[in-house]
Amino acid sequence: MTEKLTKADIIENINSRTGISRNEIHSVIDEFFEELKDGLRDGKTIELRGLGTFEVRVRKGKEKARNPKTGETVSVENHGVAVFRAGKELKDSLWSLTTEG
């Protein structure tokens, strides 16, 4: 299993490098996430240079789908899904990583 980096970890890392209070960092990160969500809900593409692009794509619905929990047959309407495409800098920085295990 891969190691996780949580929002709390990110806040702690920024705090230890900058000395900005955890509460301030937490507030800024929460506001940033809200801006991302609002932009996606408004149908905007969000481009973060050096990281990548977030956008919404419409997933085609199905007349017959199965609820995996209950096994019940249900229909699913067309719906939006968030998609992330890594930018060139991120792709390049990850290119030489290999999986071990």
Side-chain angles (χ1 to χ4, degrees):
M1 184 173 210
T2 60
E3 188 177 334
K4 290 184 183 179
L5 180 66
T6 66
K7 183 165 86 170
D9 295 332
I10 293 169
I11 290 169
E12 184 58 37
N13 292 342
I14 293 171
N15 170 262
S16 66
R17 285 196 303 262
T18 65
I20 299 171
S21 79
R22 288 175 185 83
N23 287 340
E24 288 178 300
I25 297 165
H26 194 278
S27 294
V28 170
I29 288 175
D30 284 346
E31 285 300 318
F32 177 73
F33 287 166
E34 284 304 313
E35 281 296 314
L36 288 177
K37 290 187 276 187
D38 289 346
L40 291 172
R41 274 193 293 264
D42 292 343
K44 296 179 181 174
T45 298
I46 299 165
E47 181 181 311
L48 302 173
R49 300 272 168 127
L51 182 67
T53 303
F54 293 90
E55 61 189 0
V56 175
R57 293 195 185 147
V58 176
R59 181 171 278 172
K60 191 175 171 183
K62 298 178 181 182
E63 284 188 34
K64 282 189 173 183
R66 188 167 308 277
N67 180 334
K69 192 171 187 177
T70 65
E72 176 186 3
T73 301
V74 295
S75 64
V76 177
E77 297 179 11
N78 292 352
H79 57 282
V81 293
V83 177
F84 174 76
R85 287 181 291 128
K88 183 178 181 341
E89 280 184 49
L90 179 59
K91 285 180 187 177
D92 290 347
S93 70
L94 300 177
W95 186 255
S96 62
L97 291 180
T98 59
T99 56
E100 295 179 17

